[in-house]
Amino acid sequence: MKEFMDKDFLLESGMAKKLFHDHAADMPIFDYHCHLIPEQIATDKRFTTITDAWLGGDHYKWRQMRTCGFDEKLVTGDADPFDKFMAWAETMENLIGNPLYHWTHLELQRYFGIYDVLNRKNAKKIYDEANEQFKNNPELSVFGIMKKFKVYAVGTTDDPADDLKYHKIIRDEGKCPAKVIPSYRPDKALNIEKPDFAEYIAKLGAAAGIAIKKTADVVEALEKRLAFFVEMGCRASDHALMTCPHTFWSEECVNKVFEKRMGGEEVTKEESDAWRTYILTALARAYKKNNVAMQLHFAAIRDNNLTMYKLLGPDTGYDASYDENLAYGVAEFFKALSAENSVPKTIFYSLNPKDYYSLGTLMGCYQGDGIKGKIQLGSAWWFCDHRDGMEEQIKVLANLGCLPAFVGMLTDSRSFLSYSRHEYFRRILCNVIGGWADNGEVPNDEEMLGKIVSDISFNNAQKYFEG
C-alpha cells in the first residue's frame, strides 16, 4: 500500500517517475494566466495568517464550505480567522475525491513542509505552525514564493482602462524575481447589455484620451490601450464568453446599437451579439498585428444565485458550466477572420468538456504562419482542472492535435499558494505519457519523452508568448 501523497504521488509506472522527477519537476513556471493582484506583488505582500492566504479570495473553497453546511460568516464573513480555518479543516474531512483535497495537502507540504493530514484534531497545530512560518520564513513573502517555485513569469488579468501603475513599479524597481506581465481583458467593452456599460465606456475614453461618440471611437480607444499594454510587456489577451459571437452586421448597424445603448435603452440578444462580434473581430485583428495571443474562455454561466450576487458580487462561488452549442459560432467567427488572414495566436478553453472535440478539430483548421501550435486547446480549466479533467484534455489534444506543442498548465488563480498546481498537472502529464511508454504505445525513449514533458511544462509557453 502506497503512502498518502508520497514522492511518487500519481506516478504509476517506472517511466512516469523518471519523466516527472528528472524532466518536469524542476522546470520553471510560466503562469501565463492568473488573477493575482499586481499591488500585492509590487509590495512583496506577506500574509499574516494561513486563513488569509487560503480563504481570502478562493471561491473553490467557499463553495465546498457552503456545501458542508457552514454559515456564510465562516466563509466570506468577519468570523475569527481561526474559526474559519477550523471550518475549512472540517470541510477537508469531507473532500476525498475532490482536487481541493490534493491541492490543500500539496500546499501544506511544498510551502510549509507540513506532511500531516489536515483535520479538526490537528488544525490548531497546523494553523500555528503555518502562521509562524508566514511571520519568520523569508520564502513565504510574495517574492520569496516566486523564487522558491522558480516562477519565470506570471500573466495578470487587467482591464484596458487600468493605468498599470503597479506593473510600472514592479518593472522599474526590478526586485521581483519573476516577470509580471499584464494581460488585456476587455470584457466590459464587449458586454454592451450590462447596466454599467455606458459608465465603463466613459472610463475607457478617459484612459485613451478619446471622446467616444461612436463605434469607431470604441475600437480606436481599445487599440490605443492595447498598444500601451504591449509597451508594458503584454503577451496575451483574455475574454470570458458564454459562447462565440457570430452575428456579422455592418458598422452602420452596429453603431445604431451603440447609440441606442448609450442613450439608456435596452438591447436585444441579437444586437448585443452583433456588438460583441464587431468589437471582438476588431480586437482579433489588433492581436494579430501586435503578436498578442487571444485567450477565449467559453461556457461559464455566471452569478446564478442572485441573492448572494447582490450580497457578495461576482466571482464568489456561484458560477457553473454552460451547455449551449459552441462549435458553429466558433467556426463562423474564425471563418470570417481567416478570410482576411486575421487569425491571431489563439487558445480555446471550455468549462464544458463536451466542447473539447469540437474545439480540438476546429483548432486544426487555423494553424499556420510558421508558428508551432498557433491554435491551442487550453488546459483543463476551473471545474475541469482535476485529475480526470486534465487526463481527458491531454488525451483529446493528443488524439486530435499535437501534444508536444501544448503550452501546458496555468493556475487561473487569485492565490500565491497555487503554484503547486503546476506540480499536480506535471505529475498527471508524466503519468499519462509514462503509461503509454510502459504499455508499448510510444517508444520507451526517456530522452524523447523527457523533452516533450519539459517543453509542455515550460519551454513551449515561453516560446509561444515571447516568440
Side-chain angles (χ1 to χ4, degrees):
M1 181 182 295
K2 291 186 68 175
E3 293 183 19
F4 173 64
M5 293 184 64
D6 66 3
K7 67 182 181 67
D8 292 328
F9 169 58
L10 297 177
L11 304 172
E12 298 172 338
S13 68
M15 180 59 80
K17 294 172 186 177
K18 289 180 182 178
L19 292 177
F20 176 73
H21 292 300
D22 297 340
H23 300 278
D26 291 331
M27 293 299 293
I29 289 173
F30 197 133
D31 198 26
Y32 53 85
H33 175 64
C34 68
H35 295 273
L36 297 177
I37 300 172
E39 181 181 2
Q40 294 181 351
I41 302 174
T43 57
D44 191 20
K45 179 179 174 68
R46 180 181 288 276
F47 295 94
T48 55
T49 70
I50 191 171
T51 304
D52 183 23
W54 255 357
L55 301 177
D58 192 339
H59 53 80
Y60 286 71
K61 294 186 178 74
W62 295 347
R63 285 171 67 98
Q64 302 312 323
M65 292 173 75
R66 293 172 187 137
T67 301
C68 287
F70 288 103
D71 187 270
E72 194 64 31
K73 183 175 182 179
L74 289 163
V75 181
T76 61
D78 60 356
D80 181 83
F82 177 67
D83 292 339
K84 287 186 172 184
F85 186 81
M86 281 296 295
W88 175 241
E90 184 173 340
T91 301
M92 278 290 292
E93 294 176 357
N94 295 281
L95 289 186
I96 59 169
N98 188 296
L100 284 167
Y101 198 80
H102 288 157
W103 296 350
T104 295
H105 287 107
L106 272 179
E107 289 164 13
L108 285 175
Q109 292 179 9
R110 300 298 179 263
Y111 286 82
F112 304 100
I114 296 173
Y115 286 80
D116 296 336
V117 177
L118 176 62
N119 54 51
R120 284 171 290 179
K121 293 179 181 178
N122 62 18
K124 181 65 164 61
K125 173 191 171 188
I126 290 174
Y127 182 79
D128 289 343
E129 185 173 344
N131 291 347
E132 184 67 20
Q133 290 197 43
F134 270 130
K135 183 178 178 180
N136 297 312
N137 186 347
E139 289 188 339
L140 289 177
S141 72
V142 167
F143 291 173
I145 288 169
M146 288 180 163
K147 186 175 181 180
K148 174 182 174 67
F149 284 88
K150 299 181 180 179
V151 180
Y152 172 80
V154 296
T156 60
T157 304
D158 308 278
D159 188 274
D162 196 311
D163 63 7
L164 302 184
K165 169 185 174 182
Y166 292 103
H167 286 85
K168 292 178 183 176
I169 291 172
I170 294 165
R171 181 192 64 183
D172 293 347
E173 291 188 349
K175 297 178 181 178
C176 183
K179 296 183 179 183
V180 182
I181 303 167
S183 296
Y184 190 78
R185 177 75 172 254
D187 289 351
K188 291 182 179 179
L190 274 72
N191 293 337
I192 193 170
E193 73 283 358
K194 297 291 186 181
D196 61 349
F197 177 76
E199 178 184 349
Y200 178 73
I201 291 300
K203 183 179 179 181
L204 175 66
I210 294 172
I212 296 179
K213 297 181 179 180
K214 57 186 184 297
T215 301
D217 298 331
V218 176
V219 172
E220 182 183 355
L222 288 169
E223 290 176 341
K224 189 172 181 180
R225 295 306 294 167
L226 178 62
F228 168 63
F229 271 55
V230 170
E231 288 177 8
M232 291 297 297
C234 175
R235 296 289 186 271
S237 69
D238 182 49
H239 297 265
L241 300 163
M242 284 205 302
T243 190
C244 192
H246 58 282
T247 303
F248 297 93
W249 287 5
S250 67
E251 181 177 348
E252 180 182 0
C253 291
V254 170
N255 201 53
K256 289 179 181 178
V257 175
F258 178 69
E259 291 174 351
K260 176 181 176 181
R261 188 74 187 100
M262 294 299 286
E265 296 184 55
E266 299 293 322
V267 293
T268 67
K269 184 176 180 180
E270 185 180 24
E271 287 172 333
S272 64
D273 197 70
W275 171 262
R276 252 187 289 278
T277 304
Y278 190 89
I279 298 299
L280 188 59
T281 299
L283 286 169
R285 295 183 187 118
Y287 300 151
K288 174 76 180 290
K289 179 181 178 181
N290 288 279
N291 193 27
V292 169
M294 179 169 68
Q295 296 182 94
L296 300 176
H297 284 87
F298 295 120
I301 185 166
R302 300 171 188 268
D303 306 321
N304 297 298
N305 186 323
L306 293 181
T307 297
M308 297 308 291
Y309 175 72
K310 290 175 182 177
L311 181 67
L312 299 175
D315 304 320
T316 50
Y318 297 98
D319 306 323
S321 175
Y322 194 47
D323 66 351
E324 185 170 312
N325 291 333
L326 178 63
Y328 181 77
V330 174
E332 290 298 294
F333 184 77
F334 277 84
K335 279 181 188 177
L337 288 181
S338 66
E340 57 182 63
N341 194 28
S342 294
V343 176
K345 290 189 291 190
T346 302
I347 306 178
F348 294 136
Y349 306 86
S350 178
L351 201 56
N352 195 329
K354 76 172 180 59
D355 298 322
Y356 287 178
Y357 263 81
S358 297
L359 294 174
T361 52
L362 282 165
M363 175 181 68
C365 299
Y366 306 107
Q367 304 288 7
D369 291 340
I371 301 170
K372 184 178 181 180
K374 175 184 173 182
I375 314 297
Q376 294 272 330
L377 179 64
S379 182
W381 167 49
W382 197 347
F383 296 122
C384 302
D385 60 357
H386 42 72
R387 181 177 183 175
D388 292 342
M390 290 182 184
E391 287 181 351
E392 181 178 7
Q393 185 271 343
I394 289 167
K395 291 175 182 178
V396 169
L397 176 55
N399 277 309
L400 301 179
C402 180
L403 180 61
F406 181 32
V407 294
M409 176 64 175
L410 64 153
T411 63
D412 190 34
S413 175
R414 291 162 175 77
S415 172
F416 292 96
L417 300 191
S418 292
Y419 293 122
S420 51
R421 293 187 200 173
H422 281 266
E423 175 186 338
Y424 188 68
F425 165 81
R426 291 174 185 182
R427 286 177 178 271
I428 292 167
L429 172 70
C430 291
N431 192 58
V432 170
I433 295 176
W436 291 341
D438 276 26
N439 289 335
E441 299 173 51
V442 299
N444 192 26
D445 183 336
E446 183 182 345
E447 182 179 359
M448 179 188 80
L449 300 179
K451 182 179 187 305
I452 290 172
V453 300
S454 61
D455 284 349
I456 294 172
S457 296
F458 171 73
N459 298 328
N460 290 343
Q462 182 186 33
K463 292 174 184 176
Y464 188 81
F465 292 102
E466 296 189 338

